Amino acid sequence: MTEKYLEITETVLRDAHQSLMATRMTTDEMLPIIEKMDRVGYYSLECWGGATFDAAIRFLDEDPWERLREIKKRAPQTKLQMLLRGQNLLGYRHYADDIVDKFVEKASKNGIDVFRIFDALNDTRNLEASLKAVKRHGGHAELTICYTISEVHTIDYYAALADQLQQMGADSICLKDMAGILTPYTAEKLVKRLKEVLTIPLSLHTHATSGISQMTYLKAVEAGVDRIDTAISPFSEGTSQPPTESMVLSLNEGNVKTRVDVALLEEIADYFKPIRDHYLASGILNPKMMGVDPKALLYQVPGGMLSNLYGQLEQAKATDKYDQVLKEVPKVREDLGYPPLVTPMSQMVGTQAVFNVLAGERYQMVPNEIKEYLRGSYGQSPVPVKEAFRKKIIKNEEVITDRPANHLSPEFDRLKAELGDLAKKDEDVLTYAMFPQVGKAFLEKKYSQVKGSSMASKKEQQEKKAIKIIAVM
């Protein structure tokens, strides 16, 4: 019997610390171990995208482009991977197609090899521009299925979606279980069905939040999945991914092997242990996020969203309402047509649930993002929103029914002009595009700061700031 090799994507540099402690690991903490990680035999290192960009400029006073370049210098053998939110890129709105193309171009040139591209609604129209850009600039386009559960999200639905993504030109497909709600036997059935449809590799991403992730991976591997995402043990489990070492050691005993050097994994784990302990001691890493919460199976809430909800309630001095908010989340999600709970929908649904509970009356306060969603600005909801509910929130306002980005004019040159002297390179314009206020403040500080400030004082500032600010996802 021919042995099949399972590929491993390591998430400690992105999703692991994003889910556990709101993306607060610094570049200085990452770089010393990268050369060793490059020798492990990973398929890829997920190190960019998601909330890393936002957290770097908002909380850490770091240039995310520089982080990417420095990691690439130290990892010439292993593919670098990022998470890209389709037409949203790394921000929280849709960007014009020229921004999408420029961002992908610069991400590729600075070091990204694999672009995992998703849309929060599984609206494939919102993947078109980024897919074309990745192809144009020579990257690997991994189009993503956001897994969720509802009356329409059946195995046949996912199989049809996978076939559509493959026909669009995907180089691989990722089944993204951001809430950790894909149960083992459902995973087995779903992977088998997807493999019947696909001729390209299939990745599986899950979280350990609900306590079933390792069983889910095992059944998925047995069913034929080609790649899985894991996190080195000090930053694994809880709201993160299953531990890399445990999964590799277990799977190597079966018919599916990995190419991963287990001895190097042990050394990498030893490196990250004191970093984890430092964040635990400082309070930035809440031990609550490292535990198991089977409620995720009931409320379908992603790991990073749990930490964010708890942080919002801490700010409001209302942590006693945490369970009440969790129960409100699926109700809001039903009202909005069962969107998958992934960025930016996870933040939008979570914030609305918090507002509903704290106000004591549902939809007394409605964020502008929810109103834009109901106007169709984010795309098509999986299940049609009830018109009575829509009209309650946005009255008789016009609703977009085609690709939302069709209504956006080119904006790169305009944003460059707005930024003025701070636009010293295209990457600066893109930083400003993603987060105008925070990005501009970061660039002003970057280009005006006095050289030679000590790393120690910089790190103290980062820690103080991280403690004060709630999580971003």
Side-chain angles (χ1 to χ4, degrees):
M1 181 177 179
T2 303
E3 285 184 344
K4 177 184 175 182
Y5 283 93
L6 177 76
E7 302 286 2
I8 304 290
T9 291
E10 174 62 58
T11 68
V12 70
L13 303 177
R14 205 284 298 179
D15 198 25
H17 72 110
Q18 176 174 324
S19 295
L20 288 171
M21 58 181 205
T23 333
R24 294 305 197 274
M25 195 184 300
T26 68
T27 302
D28 289 337
E29 289 166 332
M30 297 176 186
L31 294 183
I33 197 63
I34 300 298
E35 291 178 8
K36 189 167 287 184
M37 295 178 76
D38 189 40
R39 302 199 305 270
V40 166
Y42 293 119
Y43 168 75
S44 62
L45 298 174
E46 192 199 40
C47 63
W48 216 58
T52 60
F53 203 102
D54 189 352
I57 64 172
R58 190 182 300 268
F59 304 129
L60 304 179
D61 292 329
E62 292 186 1
D63 189 332
W65 299 99
E66 183 64 19
R67 173 185 292 187
L68 176 55
R69 289 190 291 269
E70 290 299 318
I71 292 175
K72 189 64 175 180
K73 285 179 190 174
R74 294 161 175 79
Q77 301 178 72
T78 309
K79 296 180 182 70
L80 299 189
Q81 182 170 315
M82 77 167 294
L83 184 66
L84 193 73
R85 301 173 190 147
Q87 204 75 31
N88 285 36
L89 296 175
L90 300 181
Y92 301 100
R93 68 170 177 89
H94 278 198
Y95 294 90
D97 290 345
D98 66 327
I99 293 283
V100 173
D101 184 75
K102 182 66 73 173
F103 189 93
V104 169
E105 176 193 351
K106 292 302 176 181
S108 180
K109 287 185 177 178
N110 280 278
I112 292 299
D113 302 291
V114 180
F115 293 78
R116 179 175 287 174
I117 310 166
F118 76 91
D119 176 67
L121 300 175
N122 286 324
D123 187 336
T124 58
R125 301 172 303 175
N126 293 333
L127 304 177
E128 292 171 3
S130 47
L131 171 62
K132 290 175 183 175
V134 171
K135 293 287 190 178
R136 185 179 299 115
H137 299 295
H140 176 108
E142 182 166 87
L143 297 188
T144 303
I145 296 169
C146 294
Y147 179 78
T148 190
I149 299 170
S150 80
E151 59 190 55
V152 299
H153 291 96
T154 63
I155 287 181
D156 285 342
Y157 164 89
Y158 288 121
L161 180 56
D163 183 57
Q164 183 180 357
L165 296 176
Q166 181 171 248
Q167 295 301 322
M168 286 173 65
D171 296 306
S172 61
I173 300 292
C174 174
L175 179 60
K176 181 178 173 65
D177 174 29
M178 57 281 172
I181 58 174
L182 178 59
T183 53
Y185 290 106
T186 298
E188 181 180 37
K189 294 174 186 174
L190 181 52
V191 169
K192 283 182 177 178
R193 183 78 175 89
L194 295 182
K195 293 296 287 184
E196 291 175 1
V197 171
L198 297 174
T199 58
I200 55 178
L202 175 65
S203 302
L204 177 58
H205 171 93
T206 193
H207 289 255
T209 317
S210 63
I212 61 173
S213 58
Q214 295 182 39
M215 292 185 289
T216 294
Y217 271 165
L218 179 60
K219 298 305 289 184
V221 169
E222 290 176 347
V225 81
D226 300 288
R227 301 174 192 146
I228 58 172
D229 290 4
T230 61
I232 202 73
S233 56
F235 282 89
S236 70
E237 295 296 319
T239 53
S240 178
Q241 280 75 49
T244 305
E245 307 98 301
S246 304
M247 290 305 308
V248 167
L249 286 166
S250 300
L251 293 169
N252 280 344
E253 292 181 356
N255 293 326
V256 179
K257 311 295 183 184
T258 71
R259 296 183 173 91
V260 171
D261 186 326
V262 177
L264 280 179
L265 290 181
E266 186 176 357
E267 295 177 29
I268 293 166
D270 288 341
Y271 174 83
F272 279 107
K273 283 175 186 174
I275 296 175
R276 174 202 59 195
D277 293 345
H278 160 71
Y279 284 108
L280 278 168
S282 69
I284 295 171
L285 174 51
N286 188 334
K288 187 181 181 73
M289 296 303 110
M290 303 190 78
V292 171
D293 189 356
K295 288 179 182 177
L297 295 172
L298 298 174
Y299 306 133
Q300 302 171 23
V301 178
M305 186 177 171
L306 286 171
S307 60
N308 199 35
L309 289 174
Y310 196 81
Q312 289 184 49
L313 292 172
E314 274 186 323
Q315 270 205 337
K317 295 182 170 43
T319 54
D320 59 309
K321 299 187 185 298
Y322 183 62
D323 285 344
Q324 195 176 339
V325 168
L326 288 182
K327 291 176 182 177
E328 178 65 14
V329 165
K331 296 176 184 176
V332 172
R333 184 167 167 261
E334 181 179 1
D335 291 337
L336 297 178
Y338 294 104
L341 290 180
V342 65
T343 302
M345 293 311 305
S346 53
Q347 287 92 333
M348 290 159 59
V349 171
T351 298
Q352 186 64 66
V354 170
F355 282 2
N356 286 357
V357 170
L358 294 183
E361 181 181 339
R362 304 186 77 228
Y363 301 104
Q364 182 182 14
M365 297 185 293
V366 180
N368 286 331
E369 290 82 1
I370 294 288
K371 294 177 181 178
E372 284 299 316
Y373 170 80
L374 292 173
R375 294 182 188 111
S377 299
Y378 288 87
Q380 186 175 3
S381 59
V383 174
V385 173
K386 293 178 181 177
E387 280 307 307
F389 173 76
R390 191 192 302 272
K391 287 184 177 181
K392 175 184 176 182
I393 306 299
I394 63 168
K395 311 304 181 191
N396 292 315
E397 294 184 36
E398 186 178 352
V399 177
I400 294 171
T401 57
D402 60 344
R403 188 180 79 112
N406 289 346
H407 300 262
L408 300 176
S409 301
E411 53 183 325
F412 184 84
D413 290 340
R414 174 179 61 80
L415 292 171
K416 185 176 181 179
E418 280 182 15
L419 195 54
D421 292 342
L422 290 173
K424 299 190 184 304
K425 48 190 175 182
D426 288 350
E427 286 87 344
D428 295 334
V429 181
L430 293 167
T431 296
Y432 174 64
M434 295 303 102
F435 307 100
Q437 291 183 330
V438 175
K440 186 174 183 179
F442 168 78
L443 292 169
E444 287 173 341
K445 186 173 182 180
K446 174 184 175 182
Y447 289 124
S448 65
Q449 65 184 182
V450 179
K451 294 182 179 179
S453 62
S454 71
M455 292 302 297
S457 63
K458 181 180 177 183
K459 194 165 185 178
E460 287 172 10
Q461 292 170 4
Q462 291 168 354
E463 290 171 3
K464 288 177 183 176
K465 191 179 290 186
I467 291 170
K468 291 179 181 177
I469 309 292
I470 65 167
V472 295
M473 294 164 54

